[in-house]
Amino acid sequence: MRQSLRRKSCSACARSKRRCSLSAPSCRRCTAKGIECSYPTVTPVPPPLPNALPSDSIDDALLSLQMPSFTSSTTEAYGMELDSVDHHAHAHAHAHAHAHAHVHAHTANDYTARAEFLAHMMSLQSTALADKGFNVFIHSSQTLASDALRDALAGSALHAMRNPSNARFVDSEIARRASNIVAVLLAASISDDTLDLQMLPSVQALLVYQCMRLFSPGSISQQTQAERDNFVLQIWASRLQLSLERGDDLMEVSWELWVEQEAIRRTLICIELAQGTYTYLRGNWPVGVRCNHDLRFNAQKALWEAKSAAEWRLVCDDFAHPSMPCNMIRLHKDIRDAMPGDLDDLGVLLRAVGEGLKDMNTWLRHDKEALQRWGQVGV
């Protein structure tokens, strides 16, 4: 039987027979009552014929967010042949399969916790935009230079102020703004006069609205519409990737060009993270999600948060803030030795999801300021 795409209500809402907002990590009703919010555990459905077990590398765990389901057919999944004649061999194989199932179930729970942490972080990107004027994929110099991002900034501020009294008005306004952006992007996608780079702010704005509606939705209908709009992001992710330059030497590029290229790379990564994470948490294998394993970005916090060309150049020349070029293929190696104060939020969340939340908490202890900000992740 085909598994339902619908996420189930949390346990508290199900018991009280109330409508659940399905927000992650806690629905609005549980948040208001100050009670623990827990959703039914859903095991993602794998594609046919999985070839290997998942690993802890960021390549497998993070970008694809792919996990095989651990069911009673464990012996079939891993090619175990049981000799029905030899009782001892059968018992040994059964015990071996049981041990595998236990380990894999634990791994599945660990990956789900990582995905939930990532979903929570993606839901905060609109809040970050409202609070600071930038986030992990929108640079501070872009926000006021684009009408689309100005609107996204205003929409993010509205969403941050959402409460039961104004929820209907805020949700309607967010839906209107997102619908307008989708219409603009669809029209541009079939126009011969469109320059793809000019549409980057609109793509970023839609991604902001997607983070709101997918991970912190005001209603089920809002979330459903966001699911339908995902294909627009996929179209533009493919087009924007063609606009990426090959070179990324900080000494050979201007600040303006670096910001543009870095914003494209980060936007592509976040589109993939948002769509892959959402699909995974809905209990499905993220088939069709574009995996940009060869994407690069710079995880140095001071570089991304520089507010002017002069400040950016000073950071480039400052040995106290080493450049951290990262390739998604070897990301776990590129950021393994980085300190919490060196990584911007994108680098931190990628490290947490790739290496695990337990490792994240151990790593944060090396920086009191970072520990105070992030707290105990996943606790």
Side-chain angles (χ1 to χ4, degrees), residues 62-66 230 233-234 237-238 268-280 284-293:
L62 180 62
L63 292 182
S64 300
L65 284 172
Q66 296 175 344
N230 269 336
L233 283 179
Q234 291 176 347
S238 299
L268 293 178
I269 291 171
C270 288
I271 288 174
E272 184 172 319
L273 292 177
Q275 295 187 347
T277 302
Y278 181 76
T279 304
Y280 177 86
N284 294 278
W285 199 277
V287 174
V289 176
R290 185 180 182 87
C291 290
N292 298 297
H293 290 287

Side-chain angles (χ1 to χ4, degrees), residues 133-239:
F134 68 93
N135 59 24
V136 299
F137 56 88
I138 298 175
H139 193 267
S140 59
S141 65
Q142 294 180 291
T143 307
L144 298 182
S146 161
D147 289 340
L149 291 181
R150 282 175 178 264
D151 285 344
L153 174 64
S156 297
L158 275 176
H159 191 259
M161 297 296 292
R162 187 181 185 278
N163 59 54
S165 299
N166 65 18
R168 182 168 63 91
F169 304 99
V170 172
D171 293 347
S172 176
E173 181 61 16
I174 296 300
R176 184 188 69 82
R177 290 170 185 259
S179 177
N180 288 344
I181 287 291
V182 168
V184 168
L185 288 173
L186 285 176
S189 67
I190 60 176
S191 173
D192 295 332
D193 299 327
T194 300
L195 295 177
D196 290 352
L197 282 176
Q198 292 180 348
M199 303 309 298
L200 173 61
S202 295
V203 175
Q204 292 171 310
L206 179 56
L207 181 53
V208 170
Y209 297 130
Q210 291 296 88
C211 289
M212 292 181 198
R213 299 184 298 166
L214 290 176
F215 301 114
S216 184
S219 64
I220 296 298
S221 61
Q222 194 178 57
Q223 192 175 52
T224 302
Q225 184 58 52
E227 292 176 2
R228 297 193 188 105
D229 293 339
N230 269 336
F231 85 97
V232 181
L233 283 179
Q234 291 176 347
I235 291 173
W236 281 97
S238 299
R239 295 182 63 155

Side-chain angles (χ1 to χ4, degrees), residues 160-375:
M161 297 296 292
R162 187 181 185 278
N163 59 54
S165 299
N166 65 18
R168 182 168 63 91
F169 304 99
V170 172
D171 293 347
S172 176
E173 181 61 16
I174 296 300
R176 184 188 69 82
R177 290 170 185 259
S179 177
N180 288 344
I181 287 291
V182 168
V184 168
L185 288 173
L186 285 176
S189 67
I190 60 176
S191 173
D192 295 332
D193 299 327
T194 300
L195 295 177
D196 290 352
L197 282 176
Q198 292 180 348
M199 303 309 298
L200 173 61
S202 295
V203 175
Q204 292 171 310
L206 179 56
L207 181 53
V208 170
Y209 297 130
Q210 291 296 88
C211 289
M212 292 181 198
R213 299 184 298 166
L214 290 176
F215 301 114
S216 184
S219 64
I220 296 298
S221 61
Q222 194 178 57
Q223 192 175 52
T224 302
Q225 184 58 52
E227 292 176 2
R228 297 193 188 105
D229 293 339
N230 269 336
F231 85 97
V232 181
L233 283 179
Q234 291 176 347
I235 291 173
W236 281 97
S238 299
R239 295 182 63 155
L240 286 174
Q241 189 168 25
L242 300 177
S243 303
L244 286 174
E245 302 286 345
R246 289 183 177 273
D248 57 354
D249 189 343
L250 294 177
M251 303 305 296
E252 297 180 358
V253 298
S254 66
W255 179 58
E256 292 79 9
L257 178 59
W258 182 84
V259 166
E260 178 185 84
Q261 293 293 302
E262 186 71 6
I264 294 174
R265 289 189 284 260
R266 286 167 170 262
T267 299
L268 293 178
I269 291 171
C270 288
I271 288 174
E272 184 172 319
L273 292 177
Q275 295 187 347
T277 302
Y278 181 76
T279 304
Y280 177 86
L281 289 176
R282 295 303 292 265
N284 294 278
W285 199 277
V287 174
V289 176
R290 185 180 182 87
C291 290
N292 298 297
H293 290 287
D294 60 341
L295 272 179
R296 302 182 305 274
F297 78 104
N298 200 304
Q300 173 55 251
K301 178 179 180 179
L303 277 177
W304 179 245
E305 296 186 2
K307 295 179 175 59
S308 67
E311 182 181 347
W312 178 78
R313 181 52 62 187
L314 285 174
V315 173
C316 290
D317 298 335
D318 187 357
F319 291 106
H321 298 99
S323 176
M324 292 186 178
C326 297
N327 188 304
M328 298 304 289
I329 295 176
R330 58 172 190 273
L331 185 59
H332 58 294
K333 296 179 181 178
D334 289 342
I335 63 176
R336 178 184 297 160
D337 298 326
M339 296 300 292
D342 291 328
L343 296 183
D344 83 308
D345 284 2
L346 180 58
V348 172
L349 71 90
L350 288 174
R351 191 187 194 284
V353 179
E355 300 294 335
L357 303 188
K358 182 178 180 180
D359 176 86
M360 170 77 165
N361 289 322
T362 302
W363 177 67
L364 286 173
R365 295 194 189 107
H366 297 291
D367 190 314
K368 291 183 178 179
E369 183 179 344
L371 183 60
Q372 183 177 9
R373 179 191 173 196
W374 291 93

